[in-house]
Amino acid sequence: MSGRNGTAVAVGTDAGTLITRLCLAKLAPGAERLAALDDHLTAGPCAVPEAGRAAHEAFLAVATARDYLESVAGWLAGRRSFGGPLTESPVLRQRLAWATVALAAADAVLAAPAEYGVDPAVCAARDCVSACEQVHGAAAVFDARPGIVHALAARRLRRASAGPRPAVSRNDVCERLAARLPALTDGDAAARARRLVAELERIRPVTATTLRDELTVAEAMARYLTPGLVGRVLAHRNITATFLAGAGAAPAAAALLPSAADGSVLTALAVTEPHAGSDLAGLTSSVRHNGPTLVLEGTKTYVTGGADADALLVAARTDVAGTVLVWVDPARPGVTRLPLAGRAWQDGGIARLDIRSYEVPGRAVHPGDGASALLHGLGRERLMLAAQQLAYARRWLAELPGHRRDLADRAAAAGALLRQAVAGSGTPSLVDCGMVKLACCEVAVDVAEARLAQLSTVDNEAAAGSLLEDHAAARAATVAAGTTDLNLAIVEGKVTAMFRAGRGGPP
């Protein structure tokens, strides 16, 4: 794109730097930032036709957000409070981690403007500067740059508010599932899960699917089914693809593959512990030698599908090998299961497991580094959970009585980040998986909370209960496959790199 005077604007990979150099320096001073922007884009060196104004403003908003984030990180790196560096404050680090997630979503939108438009990028840029403002606001520091982004976001929101609602996406898996729904939704939770696994195996065989295929499966199931059932089936398919298929599976696991693929055997992954959460470094479950026999001891909680799984994959520690993964038969002595009832994920088969003096056959230990295999599996699970929650956010958005363009743009930005993460081959990094889960799960929570406003208008108990259950399910998803705090801690690695760079300096 070029300005009226021939100046190149928003062209190539360095568009953000170009716009920052041409626009940002002129717009930061003064109170009437939006008026100054209008003058600059109408008659300044970056003057563009009206048709190109939206794209230019989006690039400017994202460039301003990036500049502000780096500046705040640089400012924070040089500050101390009560004798300690502010960079060690968990609250401030989390704020900057949220800003990093929002900026990544904005970049993902701008990488595919034909698919998403540019308004979601402005919305994500606004979220980025809002998080950064909370860091500055704690020290009573104020900056002109967030005002630019907020003004641009308000303008884009007003212009787009009269647009059509985004359609709920459908795919070929949706169509085939819809035709089979009556037969898939009868019986108890375990029976429904088995039939659904079998049906999906006919539609998308788990050993032959890519990550993008699994996203399609997650979106299709969330279109029609409850969060608990969807979550447990996705977890089972992830275990099948990650720990049962391939040459690296334990001998006992390889024998389970055909039965797990067709749903006659259901699996569950047991990692979370009452006092350690899903932090692998804090695991207390252990595998030790008792003479020639391996013995597993430990307690697991909030195990999705654990109430009626036929095979359990349990994470534990050893004194020699570190983290190991052990296949456990819950029908054998030493395993006690306690179903955990609650409002959220009622079809998920959530359970607590108490494992005492369980004798482990040697062929039931997953070979290799258990921590690496588990982190790979958790990365995939976070992506599947993100796709599931994004699909619910879109479904719930369509049910809101009023069009919430702000939430629709946030959902679009989260979707762009998700699609970008799985665009390549292989599983994305833990940082990318964490950012995707944070973005998708949080927008689902916000949409679910927006729906709670309907509680004052619904006229029957069942409808009110459905709204509350959906909200509880959205909240529960922020904990599954790694809590929000855990994923923010992973993303904080990017924040630490900004601290070390110290770019931007004091504002």
Side-chain angles (χ1 to χ4, degrees):
M1 167 169 44
S2 297
R4 291 195 181 108
N5 61 1
T7 303
V9 177
V11 176
T13 58
D14 202 33
T17 300
L18 177 65
I19 291 176
T20 300
R21 177 166 52 83
L22 292 177
C23 300
L24 187 56
K26 297 180 179 296
L27 296 177
E32 299 298 329
R33 289 176 289 274
L34 195 55
L37 174 64
D38 289 333
D39 291 342
H40 186 60
L41 296 183
T42 301
C46 291
V48 293
E50 184 63 30
R53 180 72 65 85
H56 186 87
E57 289 182 359
F59 273 92
L60 176 57
V62 175
T64 305
R66 178 175 289 103
D67 186 74
Y68 185 49
L69 171 59
E70 293 173 350
S71 178
V72 171
W75 171 83
L76 199 63
R79 297 298 188 276
R80 299 177 69 84
S81 177
F82 297 103
L86 282 177
T87 54
E88 295 181 2
S89 166
V91 174
L92 299 183
R93 291 177 67 91
Q94 284 194 354
R95 287 294 91 204
L96 292 185
W98 277 117
T100 302
V101 173
L103 185 62
D107 286 335
V109 173
L110 291 186
E115 182 173 355
Y116 302 103
V118 294
D119 290 348
V122 181
C123 177
R126 179 199 60 200
D127 291 342
C128 174
V129 299
S130 294
C132 291
E133 281 182 296
Q134 294 178 35
V135 176
H136 264 173
V141 176
F142 300 96
D143 190 279
R145 284 166 288 188
I148 298 172
V149 179
H150 287 305
L152 290 172
R155 165 179 283 176
R156 301 312 311 163
L157 194 59
R158 285 195 299 271
R159 289 179 176 176
S161 61
R165 285 173 177 258
V168 178
S169 60
R170 295 175 66 90
N171 52 54
D172 63 315
V173 182
C174 279
E175 303 300 335
R176 296 179 67 174
L177 277 181
R180 293 277 297 151
L181 277 181
L184 296 174
T185 53
D186 288 337
D188 60 23
R192 293 196 298 272
R194 293 181 196 279
R195 286 195 293 271
L196 187 55
V197 169
E199 185 65 25
L200 290 173
E201 185 65 13
R202 286 188 282 271
I203 299 173
R204 287 282 193 278
V206 67
T207 57
T209 58
T210 65
L211 269 176
R212 278 169 284 184
D213 291 331
E214 284 298 280
L215 294 185
T216 301
V217 170
E219 291 167 356
M221 287 197 292
R223 178 74 174 81
Y224 302 110
L225 303 170
T226 61
L229 181 59
V230 175
R232 108 181 267 169
V233 169
L234 285 177
H236 170 81
R237 282 176 64 90
N238 184 49
I239 293 168
T240 304
T242 306
F243 301 106
L244 295 182
L256 289 174
L257 179 58
S259 298
D262 68 16
S264 54
V265 166
L266 291 178
T267 61
L269 177 63
V271 179
T272 302
E273 295 185 355
H275 301 293
S278 52
D279 179 12
L280 298 187
L283 292 181
T284 59
S285 298
S286 63
V287 175
R288 55 181 174 79
H289 281 278
N290 183 11
T293 306
L294 287 174
V295 176
L296 173 63
E297 301 268 356
T299 299
K300 300 293 182 179
T301 191
Y302 298 114
V303 180
T304 301
D308 38 37
D310 306 294
L312 303 167
L313 184 59
V314 179
R317 295 189 64 80
T318 68
D319 293 334
V320 178
T323 302
V324 295
L325 298 174
V326 179
W327 283 100
V328 170
D329 180 356
R332 289 180 53 201
V335 181
T336 302
R337 300 194 271 199
L338 176 65
L340 299 177
R343 184 178 289 277
W345 284 36
Q346 294 182 10
D347 295 335
I350 311 297
R352 174 189 173 103
L353 307 175
D354 287 307
I355 305 171
R356 298 289 178 264
S357 302
Y358 179 88
E359 295 186 1
V360 181
R363 63 197 304 271
V365 179
H366 190 83
D369 181 3
S372 296
L374 187 58
L375 290 174
H376 173 72
L378 285 173
R380 282 180 56 99
E381 186 177 356
R382 284 166 187 158
L383 292 174
M384 296 306 103
L385 189 63
Q388 168 189 333
Q389 292 308 108
L390 183 61
Y392 280 117
R394 289 168 172 161
R395 171 177 157 183
W396 296 335
L397 267 171
E399 297 171 0
L400 284 174
H403 182 26
R404 288 289 302 273
R405 185 68 196 206
D406 57 332
L407 292 175
D409 282 344
R410 285 188 57 202
L417 187 61
L418 173 61
R419 292 293 173 181
Q420 184 182 71
V422 300
S425 58
T427 303
S429 69
L430 282 177
V431 172
D432 288 339
C433 292
M435 289 198 298
V436 168
K437 181 179 183 287
L438 288 167
C440 294
C441 288
E442 287 304 311
V443 73
V445 168
D446 289 345
V447 175
E449 289 182 347
R451 294 174 74 226
L452 291 182
Q454 300 176 57
L455 284 173
S456 60
T457 61
V458 295
D459 56 1
N460 64 81
E461 187 175 339
S466 178
L467 292 173
L468 292 171
E469 287 172 11
D470 287 344
H471 179 258
R475 284 286 183 190
T478 66
V479 178
T483 64
T484 294
D485 285 348
L486 178 63
N487 283 288
L488 284 172
I490 294 171
V491 177
E492 283 174 17
K494 284 180 168 286
V495 176
T496 301
M498 284 190 287
F499 289 154
R500 289 172 180 167
R503 295 171 63 181

